[in-house]
Structure formats: C-alpha cells, structure tokens
Amino acid sequence: MKVALVTGASRGIGAAIAKRFAQDGVRVIGVSRTPADGEPDIEFVRADVSRPADVERLVKEVVERHGRLDVVVNNAAVEHEATVVDTTPEEWDHVMAVNLRSVFLCAKYAIPHLARTQGVIINVASVDGLWAEPALAAYCAAKGGVIALTRAIAIDHGGEGIRCMCICPSYVETDMLEQFYDAQPDPAAARAGAAALHPLGRISTPAEVASLAVWLSSDEASFATGQAYVLDGGLTAGRPPARKQASPG
C-alpha cells in the first residue's frame, strides 16, 4: 500500500486531498497543528511543518511505522493581506515559514525515502505565484518561491526517480477564502465578484484540486515533473483581478 503525507490536512484543499487519497486506497498521514476529528481513514499527526525538528521527526516516524513513503503533498499555508509597507518583518517571516520554508523542510527530509519508492512531491502553490494581486505581498512572494523550488527539486532529483510538480489554483472554496469574504464590506458581493472573474463563472472546489493532485501522483502522469499546473477556470487567461485589501478587523 502506498503511503502519502499531506500537510495542512485538517481543512480545505489539504483535507480534500487527504480524503481522496484515502478513498483510493492510499495510507494517508495528515499533518496539522490542529488535527481534525471524524476521519477514520486518515492518520492525523500534530506537527509544525515550519520547524525542522518537527518535520525530521515526522518523516522518520512515518517511515518507521509504515515502512515507506510514496507521496508528499505540501499544502500548509497562511495568508496575510497587506502591502510590503504594511507588512511587519514578523508577519513576513511567518508567511514565509508556513508557505515556503515548510516545503523546503518536507522535501529535504522526505527525498531520501522517496528515492527508494520512485516517489512524488506535489506542492500547492497559487496563481498568485505567477502574477500578483494587490495587498498580498508576502503571500505572492512565498507562492512564487514554491513554484521556483518545485522546479529546482525536479531537476536536482529527477535522476533518483523523484517527480515534483506544483498546483496553482485560483479562488477555491476554503475557510481562508471565506475569511476574506467576511472581511469585506459586502461579503455577498465579494463572493459574486470572485466568481465573475473566472470565465467559467464560478470558483473551484477543494475536490477539484484533489483530483488533479491524485492524477499527478499516479502512473498516468509518470512523465510529468517540474511544472506548475494552473487550475483556475480560465482566470489567468485574462488580466489580473483588482482584489481589494480586506477591511481591518
């Protein structure tokens, strides 16, 4: 049985990916600082993936317990809405630690084990790593870094049989997006406006992102590596949206 490690697995995209892998018969270890309940097919582990000691311990325990590691999905992320001027150094460091440093750490400690299984790393980036939305400076920088790091991992470790890709979703129905909507003066208008940005007239679901992640990890995608797969309902076929910064509080 294949073994998959999914970070940020307690909600949103990470939860959908973890559930989909489990449904397909993969042994799933979901990583979160606040593990979810009521998911009997997912083994939740509490860890802070921005901390080297936590990640090293986590990977070691997974391999010792299950004997192998086949897939790592780096999904853990936070969003901070501010320009460069309005972002404190501490806020910048926090976004980079969760969104980018965690990808580096999970890859660093997992790659020796993935080399034994011809394994796969899937990083969840964002369309904001390809263009920039207003007042998301740290988030855009971190997601751009995830895309670049994905390429570096692919070329450095492809000779070991490891594939590494990233998924770049646009707006997805998650708690993070709901928090953005709720911070707007008119949440209903914000929801409608986000949907209208996409040529398909709606935003994505976590399940749709999960479907792409499962395919990329499968043998059907055995020649896929080093690329950013955009899943955006046609959003980036046009011009970047003028997203406004959320109101304070």
Side-chain angles (χ1 to χ4, degrees):
M1 178 183 291
K2 286 188 175 182
V3 176
L5 185 67
V6 181
T7 72
S10 64
R11 61 181 184 172
I13 292 172
I17 292 173
K19 290 177 185 178
R20 177 61 189 274
F21 272 124
Q23 290 169 359
D24 289 354
V26 176
R27 172 69 67 187
V28 179
I29 294 85
V31 186
S32 175
R33 288 194 292 182
T34 55
D37 297 322
E39 295 295 341
D41 296 328
I42 300 171
E43 176 187 336
F44 275 98
V45 177
R46 196 170 294 203
D48 181 346
V49 290
S50 70
R51 295 169 55 90
D54 275 24
V55 177
E56 185 175 20
R57 171 187 55 78
L58 170 67
V59 172
K60 181 180 179 181
E61 289 179 357
V62 168
V63 175
E64 287 179 349
R65 187 178 303 122
H66 301 288
R68 60 187 296 143
L69 182 59
D70 300 270
V71 181
V72 173
V73 179
N74 289 304
N75 168 73
V78 295
E79 183 178 281
H80 178 68
E81 300 205 22
T83 66
V84 166
V85 172
D86 294 332
T87 301
T88 68
E90 292 77 17
E91 290 165 342
W92 175 273
D93 289 346
H94 178 60
V95 172
M96 290 297 163
V98 177
N99 294 15
L100 182 56
R101 178 182 170 93
S102 67
V103 177
F104 155 68
L105 291 173
C106 288
K108 173 179 176 62
Y109 292 113
I111 282 172
H113 304 287
L114 294 171
R116 301 187 186 103
T117 59
Q118 307 287 279
V120 177
I121 298 173
I122 299 172
N123 300 322
V124 179
S126 169
V127 292
D128 287 333
L130 301 168
W131 64 10
E133 291 191 73
L136 283 175
Y139 183 82
C140 291
K143 291 302 187 179
V146 170
I147 295 170
L149 181 56
T150 295
R151 294 174 179 144
I153 293 169
I155 65 170
D156 285 341
H157 300 283
E160 300 166 61
I162 295 171
R163 295 189 296 115
C164 183
M165 297 76 62
C166 65
I167 300 173
C168 296
S170 59
Y171 291 66
V172 184
E173 294 175 357
T174 63
D175 291 344
M176 185 183 294
L177 186 58
E178 283 298 319
Q179 290 169 5
F180 167 75
Y181 290 150
D182 291 342
Q184 303 310 304
D186 187 341
R191 289 184 180 88
L197 292 170
H198 300 74
L200 291 181
R202 65 177 180 86
I203 63 175
S204 178
T205 67
E208 289 172 321
V209 183
S211 292
L212 179 54
V214 168
W215 180 77
L216 287 172
S217 71
S218 73
D219 291 341
E220 291 183 353
S222 59
F223 203 56
T225 194
Q227 298 301 314
Y229 289 83
V230 178
L231 188 70
D232 71 348
L235 174 66
T236 55
R239 65 179 182 84
R243 179 178 177 180
K244 295 181 180 180
Q245 183 176 0
S247 300

